[in-house]
Amino acid sequence: MSTTTDTESQASPRTTTVALHATGHVRDAMEQPHQTFTFQGDTLRDLLEKLFDEQPGLAEMLVAETEAEATTDGWAKPPENLPGTWHKNPEGEQTKPYARVLVNGKFNEVLDGFDTHIEDEDRVSLVYPFIFCC
């Protein structure tokens, strides 16, 4: 016997609305770098899937598909014994070097990665700074 009512089984997925902001190269690539963005679902993954469906070039700019794409020469080697709890997002869910995705000012890596829960009115930032060298 099912405990789900007909109304519950027909309910549509939750819709979430956030403040979406972009800086640097991402800002230049987006038509509206500061906008209210609505998507179905309640995770960063849901938001990014909808955004990348609408603007596929952003995925290529921000997301590293392999470990090699997520790193760059010149990173300092970490100490042998790191303090606290350290973890990386799984391969395919990391950002490219220098690119970051933040939820309310925190890197998604220090939250729950792409599974980070998103609430209405949260601020999601897509960051890929301009880097100049001599």
Side-chain angles (χ1 to χ4, degrees):
M1 178 172 166
S2 174
T3 59
T4 305
T5 66
D6 288 335
T7 305
E8 289 176 83
S9 64
Q10 294 175 0
S12 59
R14 177 179 175 201
T15 299
T16 307
T17 301
V18 299
L20 182 63
H21 297 271
T23 66
H25 295 290
V26 183
R27 178 187 175 110
D28 285 350
M30 290 182 68
E31 292 176 18
Q32 293 180 296
H34 302 286
Q35 60 181 288
T36 300
F37 190 78
T38 301
F39 62 98
Q40 287 195 340
D42 61 0
T43 66
L44 182 58
R45 181 182 317 280
D46 297 330
L47 181 153
L48 292 175
E49 285 176 0
K50 172 143 193 251
L51 181 65
F52 295 161
D53 282 347
E54 293 178 6
Q55 298 183 56
L58 295 180
E60 187 175 321
M61 183 179 292
L62 293 168
V63 178
E65 294 296 326
T66 65
E67 188 69 32
E69 287 182 348
T71 59
T72 186
D73 293 334
W75 289 129
K77 291 186 179 181
E80 189 172 314
N81 295 313
L82 294 169
T85 302
W86 292 73
H87 65 276
K88 288 183 77 164
N89 288 343
E91 190 170 70
E93 296 186 15
Q94 298 175 38
T95 54
K96 291 195 174 181
Y98 313 112
R100 291 292 177 263
V101 178
L102 296 89
V103 176
N104 296 323
K106 294 181 181 178
F107 294 149
N108 78 79
E109 292 92 348
V110 300
L111 299 169
D112 290 324
F114 287 177
D115 293 323
T116 299
H117 182 74
I118 305 284
E119 294 284 338
D120 281 327
E121 300 183 21
D122 279 353
R123 179 183 173 123
V124 176
S125 302
L126 308 174
V127 178
Y128 195 134
F130 296 109
I131 297 176
F132 297 98
C133 186
C134 42

